[in-house]
Amino acid sequence: MIGRWLSLLAAQAIIRIVAGAVTLAAALAVTVAAAPVSLVAAAALAIAWLRGWEPRRLFTAAAWCAPMVAVWLVGTARTAPTWQHVAAAPYRAWTGFWHLAATGAVPHAAATIAPVAVPLGLVAGGLAWSYRIRSLAAGAGGLSPAAAVAFDQRQWQRQARAARARIAAPGSVPLTMRNDLIGAGAVIRSVRHRGGLVAAIGYQRLRSHQVVIGTTGTGKTTLLLRLWAGFMATGLRRHAAGLGAPPLLVVLDCKGGSDARRLADRVRRVLRQAGARSTAIWPDEASLSLWSLPPRQLTSTLVDLIEHGTGSAAYYADVMEALVGLAVEAPCGPPVSAADLLARLEPGWLSMAYAAAGTAADHAMIRSASRQLADVALRFRTLFRRLGSGLDGPGGFGDADAWYCILEGTDQIAVAEGQARALVDLLASFAVRGPARREILLAVDEFSAVSRRLPIWQLYERARSLGLAVQVSAQSWQGLGTSPDERLRIAASAEGGIWLLRTPEPEPVTALAGTIRVVQTSRYLRRFPIWSHRGSSRVEEVPVADPNLIRILDVGQTAYIYRGGVTYLQVKRLVAAPAAVGGVPASPAEPPAGLRAAAAPAEVSPRVDAAPPAGVSPRVDAASPAGVSPRVDAGAGRSGADPTAVPLPDISLLLDAAFGPEHSP
Amino acid sequence: MIRADGASALAAPGGRHPGRTGRHADGLIFTGEMYGVQLDQLTTVLDVSQRSVGAIVAKWRTAGLAEAARLGPGPRWVWLTRAGLADCGLQYSPGVPGLARLAHLRAVTGIRLALAGTPQYAAAGAYWRSERRLRAKIGGRLGLREHVPDGEVHWPDSAPVPWAGECWAIEAELTPKTVARTVMIMQELLARTGDYGCPAAQARVLGRPPRHARVIYLCSRAALPTVARARAALGSAGARIEIRGLPDGAELPSAGTTPP
């Protein structure tokens, strides 16, 4: 009995081995018989593995062979007597291949079989590659469960390497593409997003709110520059085509310092290449006028710029609002400068201003609050001194294609907060009442510096109707707001997507991308290190955006989270035109025309050549300003001032000869 | 105006057509630069007789390079077609000179011809940069807020004249504006530091040398008092403004003039 049972076991083992050998031999025979297809499939598989391609790419390549197959079939049909001959063409090509290969005409043989072998090989390679990926993703492939992890890591490295190689090619990622797409970089991997070679987002996404999170040195600035330039280039193109209003980019750099100046210069050069004719840098080179706000809005903004306490201090806040309202909404019109407002904050002025047109309530308020006027004036005097003259005009957002506003949020947080508040109010007012409609993108970089007093989510909620999109960037999730609720509001309202660069705590953001169902398989361990291919599978929910992958992102790599999907991409760096050589440094003095006539370098001294050649008029060069430029009076910088202080040569002889003598009017 | 060697003191350099005589090519470029030219002024440009100029224009029309028509009082106007502009390498939008601008265009052409007729202009190799060229540099993407002069005259650094290296803004003033407006224009021209078409931030940079060393106003009798008052209002800066009357023949002929 035992002998029979053992014989049965041995027979079963022999049958299994023989069946396996027969199957292997059959597969080998088919592989050899279909050698051209096998070769193409193997090559496709190897390339897809090396480059980290998705199987879809091999199927797409096979589909692109259709014209070749069609031409080949048409050529065959023209010489074939019947349709049966056309149907048998692949078989004939196959037999022809072997005959030619046997005679040593390998190139001819390859050309004969190529129309059949290439598409079939690509499809076979794609199927094999898909099987491999799916089996490993399910945890069923490989010698051990760890094989799936190692495979995924290697694939990521290969995909990242391929993406880097792709963006290195000139012109591989255009800034603007058809259908108003903005090229951001090369796709590394995508989950629930449509794959492809180039990662591009629609212009309308930039017209919606976006969030960018990434620590220093991860390529955040490169990404932002790309997005801003893409917005500008596409917006200008759309405007030229009559499809939309001209774009307006307003960047609030809330970090400040010398880095901000360097970045501003880079932004200007990049935007210039993108088509922007003018980039104003506030407050170094251009100014804005807070006083262009409508009176009621001006009152509200001025009061909000000053921090108030709570409790009994609220009383003083009410008094201040009443007095500022009286000063701003006086019958003679709103103030035109900080000095004008300060001059109004005294009892004599208010009484005189309201003497003729004021109501009894106004007079009563002036009388009752007159004791507080000096204190209110003192607070505003302090405020204006801290804010500087950048908001004292002239100028408006409509004067340039782009504004780069530098707020000293690192060393003067309170000042930066006030400036940010005022700038946002000015921009909102411009969006509502501006002379011409603009498609506005407000980008707030290093938002954490001003998040305490800039309720950006309030702007979020009303911005869409104003034609204003907000892009907030911060170094971490915590930098998005002071409270978890505020952060969640900002991130959840980012209809244009979230850009996530390397950050140590990505979970709150990746959670917004949701989860995806995947098959997880547990495998039976026979004896280490041998795992059986038997086990059980179950469906599990895993995050669409893998937080661990976010943590290991390299410089320039980013995850774009949008509508429950994620695309990992390598951002293509924009190379700006070189800075002008020998010109005046970017920081002190380049006011946009018409913005203001008030900014002049304090230590600019005309340098006149000591001994100009005879007969040649002396040339004057502007020496580089030595320091940061404090403002001077508008009149001092007026065009009327003689900039050269050198008498001009007499040209009356020439003019008399050409036009006759000068007439007296 | 065309010198004996065929070179022109009027036309922009580098605009020669290999298959056409230099004189005709210069005339074409001149016409393109000035939007349009009346035949009597073209006669001066080409330095030919009135009869010859008609034949030359007929050839241009046959070749599809130019069009000619009587647009207003006086001789016929000639302007370049799209093919003509392309032939001259001028990237301007083609168009018939606007009726409302005819007098102004003639005045500016007259000013250019008068200036080019002086020996200093020819000796210095001065260069006229027309309003059309300036506007083309600015482009049409944004609304124009800046005032564009009717022309610029560039005097090369090596020119044998005391004002070598200067750039002048030329303004033809036929009808009087308000004094305030004229003052604003003067201030803008005097304060400008950047080239036309440069970023707005570079258009006026304090501390840099001004683009226009002087502004030359050529005025009709009607406009002269306003311009003079505006210059006086500028104070010391008015020293960089020269005012003269329009040269002879720069004003549009009356309706009764016999056309050639």
Side-chain angles (χ1 to χ4, degrees):
Chain A
M1 186 68 182
I2 292 172
R4 288 182 65 185
W5 183 72
L6 287 174
S7 302
L8 188 62
L9 279 181
Q12 277 182 342
I14 290 167
I15 288 170
R16 264 206 306 272
I17 290 168
V18 169
V22 168
T23 306
L24 189 65
L28 205 61
V30 170
T31 304
V32 171
V37 176
S38 307
L39 279 174
V40 173
L45 197 61
I47 292 172
W49 176 72
L50 276 173
R51 306 294 299 271
W53 287 356
E54 296 285 328
R56 190 191 310 124
R57 192 158 175 196
L58 294 179
F59 296 136
T60 308
W64 276 106
C65 293
M68 176 180 71
V69 175
V71 169
W72 175 69
L73 286 175
V74 168
T76 307
R78 290 185 64 180
T79 55
T82 62
W83 66 269
Q84 286 91 345
H85 278 78
V86 179
Y91 173 73
R92 287 171 187 280
W94 179 67
T95 54
F97 165 79
W98 285 112
H99 287 311
L100 288 167
T103 59
V106 177
H108 191 183
T112 305
I113 197 66
V116 181
V118 172
L120 284 179
L122 287 172
V123 170
L127 288 172
W129 184 229
S130 175
Y131 173 79
R132 175 74 176 158
I133 289 176
R134 288 160 68 98
S135 66
L136 282 164
L143 293 175
S144 73
V149 179
F151 176 80
D152 187 59
Q153 285 176 351
R154 281 198 301 271
Q155 280 306 106
W156 171 263
Q157 288 166 2
R158 291 187 184 112
Q159 288 167 339
R161 192 170 58 218
R164 276 197 297 272
R166 218 174 299 140
I167 63 167
S172 56
V173 185
L175 186 60
T176 59
M177 300 154 74
R178 280 189 305 175
N179 301 324
D180 294 339
L181 289 174
I182 296 164
V187 173
I188 301 173
R189 178 184 288 184
S190 60
V191 182
R192 276 197 181 163
H193 278 179
R194 199 173 165 187
L197 297 178
V198 175
I201 62 164
Y203 175 73
Q204 291 308 325
R205 303 250 187 104
L206 281 178
R207 296 282 300 116
S208 306
H209 307 316
Q210 291 198 332
V211 168
V212 181
I213 297 175
T215 53
T216 306
T218 56
K220 183 155 62 87
T221 303
T222 302
L223 170 67
L224 291 174
L225 273 175
R226 180 110 200 155
L227 295 178
W228 297 340
F231 167 78
M232 184 59 66
T234 311
L236 286 172
R237 198 183 62 188
R238 282 170 52 84
H239 175 56
L243 299 175
L248 171 64
L249 172 68
V250 179
V251 179
L252 302 189
D253 185 333
C254 305
K255 191 165 58 178
S258 57
D259 278 351
R261 267 78 188 179
R262 273 195 292 275
L263 180 57
D265 184 51
R266 196 172 152 207
V267 168
R268 169 181 282 166
R269 285 183 278 128
V270 164
L271 292 180
R272 169 88 174 142
Q273 285 192 326
R277 293 170 61 85
S278 51
T279 300
I281 297 176
W282 183 95
D284 291 357
E285 304 173 11
S287 61
L288 290 162
S289 178
L290 188 65
W291 314 103
S292 61
L293 286 171
R296 284 188 185 281
Q297 174 68 46
L298 180 59
T299 304
S300 166
T301 301
L302 285 170
V303 173
D304 285 346
L305 285 177
I306 288 182
E307 282 196 83
H308 307 292
T310 53
S312 59
Y315 161 74
Y316 294 102
D318 292 343
V319 172
M320 177 184 288
E321 184 163 5
L323 288 173
V324 172
L326 283 172
V328 171
E329 296 164 33
C332 59
V336 295
S337 65
D340 190 5
L341 177 72
L342 293 174
R344 294 177 179 208
L345 290 175
E346 57 179 56
W349 192 94
L350 287 178
S351 303
M352 194 179 297
Y354 283 86
T359 62
D362 293 335
H363 292 294
M365 194 182 296
I366 292 168
R367 274 196 305 277
S368 62
S370 59
R371 282 177 302 166
Q372 314 291 339
L373 262 175
D375 295 338
V376 172
L378 179 66
R379 292 209 70 178
F380 274 101
R381 192 169 286 114
T382 308
L383 173 76
F384 292 140
R385 183 178 54 77
R386 290 164 68 187
L387 288 182
S389 52
L391 291 167
D392 217 10
F397 280 114
D399 294 339
D401 288 337
W403 284 79
Y404 195 92
C405 305
I406 300 172
L407 283 62
E408 301 295 343
T410 303
D411 60 345
Q412 301 176 54
I413 294 177
V415 176
E417 287 172 344
Q419 289 175 332
R421 181 64 194 262
L423 289 170
V424 168
D425 280 358
L426 267 175
L427 186 62
S429 172
F430 174 78
V432 176
R433 304 177 188 86
R437 186 173 164 74
R438 303 281 290 266
E439 294 186 346
I440 305 170
L441 173 61
L442 169 64
V444 187
D445 193 14
E446 302 298 344
F447 176 64
S448 58
V450 295
S451 60
R452 191 175 64 93
R453 292 194 59 209
L454 186 65
I456 202 82
W457 54 269
Q458 288 180 0
L459 190 64
Y460 257 48
E461 289 170 0
R462 61 189 168 106
R464 276 308 294 267
S465 59
L466 303 179
L468 192 154
V470 183
Q471 183 188 71
V472 175
S473 59
Q475 297 212 9
S476 63
W477 168 252
Q478 285 74 14
L480 279 183
T482 49
S483 67
D485 183 48
E486 194 176 329
R487 288 172 216 147
L488 203 58
R489 276 189 183 199
I490 291 174
S493 309
E495 297 161 13
I498 299 174
W499 300 88
L500 195 55
L501 296 102
R502 189 176 67 236
T503 181
E505 193 189 350
E507 278 82 359
V509 186
T510 54
L512 294 172
T515 57
I516 188 171
R517 289 181 178 179
V518 296
V519 175
Q520 296 283 338
T521 305
S522 63
R523 290 170 63 178
Y524 173 67
L525 174 63
R526 283 184 173 172
R527 191 181 62 192
F528 186 82
I530 300 169
W531 274 267
S532 164
H533 282 276
R534 293 181 180 177
S536 61
S537 296
R538 63 187 179 280
V539 174
E540 283 190 353
E541 302 265 347
V542 296
V544 169
D546 184 357
N548 291 322
L549 208 50
I550 304 292
R551 286 191 183 89
I552 62 162
L553 286 178
D554 209 345
V555 177
Q557 293 175 348
T558 180
Y560 176 62
I561 296 170
Y562 177 72
R563 281 195 183 174
V566 62
T567 298
Y568 299 92
L569 62 136
Q570 180 80 41
V571 179
K572 168 86 171 170
R573 183 185 171 88
L574 274 179
V575 181
V581 177
V584 177
S587 55
E590 282 194 359
L595 285 181
R596 73 176 192 207
E603 297 175 37
V604 168
S605 56
R607 178 169 57 79
V608 182
D609 286 346
V616 176
S617 60
R619 306 299 301 272
V620 179
D621 293 331
S624 298
V628 178
S629 57
R631 283 153 188 268
V632 296
D633 252 355
R638 281 283 172 201
S639 55
D642 184 357
T644 62
V646 175
L648 292 166
D650 187 17
I651 59 169
S652 31
L653 275 179
L654 172 76
L655 295 183
D656 290 350
F659 309 113
E662 184 171 1
H663 302 286
S664 55
Chain B
M1 289 302 138
I2 307 293
R3 292 201 289 271
D5 57 359
S8 169
L10 298 168
R16 300 286 157 76
H17 190 286
R20 193 167 286 116
T21 65
R23 182 174 298 186
H24 288 195
D26 291 342
L28 276 171
I29 294 170
F30 186 96
T31 308
E33 293 279 4
M34 305 306 290
Y35 291 102
V37 179
Q38 277 188 297
L39 281 190
D40 59 331
Q41 290 181 323
L42 191 59
T43 305
T44 313
V45 173
L46 296 174
D47 198 17
V48 293
S49 67
Q50 283 193 358
R51 195 167 170 178
S52 303
V53 83
I56 291 168
V57 170
K59 280 183 187 170
W60 290 354
R61 293 183 68 182
T62 308
L65 301 176
E67 277 298 330
R70 188 163 293 113
L71 302 177
R76 283 186 300 163
W77 285 82
V78 185
W79 65 94
L80 296 198
T81 60
R82 186 183 295 276
L85 289 169
D87 205 51
C88 294
L90 302 174
Q91 295 179 338
Y92 308 145
S93 302
V96 184
L99 291 180
R101 299 201 68 208
L102 291 181
H104 186 75
L105 295 180
R106 182 176 173 86
V108 176
T109 305
I111 292 165
R112 181 175 176 180
L113 291 174
L115 202 55
T118 58
Q120 295 98 324
Y121 190 95
Y127 171 60
W128 180 281
R129 209 162 175 225
S130 69
E131 180 194 352
R132 197 174 194 185
R133 184 173 288 266
L134 296 177
R135 286 193 184 278
K137 279 211 75 177
I138 292 170
R141 279 174 298 175
L142 291 181
L144 280 179
R145 287 184 294 104
E146 52 194 352
H147 178 80
V148 180
D150 297 321
E152 279 185 344
V153 180
H154 294 253
W155 299 90
D157 287 309
S158 57
V161 289
W163 52 88
E166 290 186 2
C167 169
W168 298 352
I170 306 293
E171 281 289 325
E173 206 74 353
L174 296 182
T175 51
K177 301 182 176 75
T178 62
V179 173
R181 172 71 185 142
T182 311
V183 167
M184 278 180 64
I185 291 172
M186 287 176 173
Q187 282 178 334
E188 191 177 331
L189 290 171
L190 291 174
R192 188 175 186 91
T193 55
D195 194 0
Y196 290 91
C198 71
Q202 295 168 13
R204 202 163 63 162
V205 181
L206 293 168
R208 286 193 182 173
R211 174 171 180 77
H212 302 124
R214 317 162 193 263
V215 181
I216 316 292
Y217 266 86
L218 290 314
C219 310
S220 67
R221 286 193 178 280
L224 195 61
T226 305
V227 175
R229 282 175 60 199
R231 180 175 68 172
L234 282 179
S236 64
R240 289 166 55 205
I241 292 178
E242 298 283 349
I243 303 174
R244 290 289 193 280
L246 284 170
D248 293 338
E251 291 186 74
L252 208 58
S254 61
T257 307
T258 309

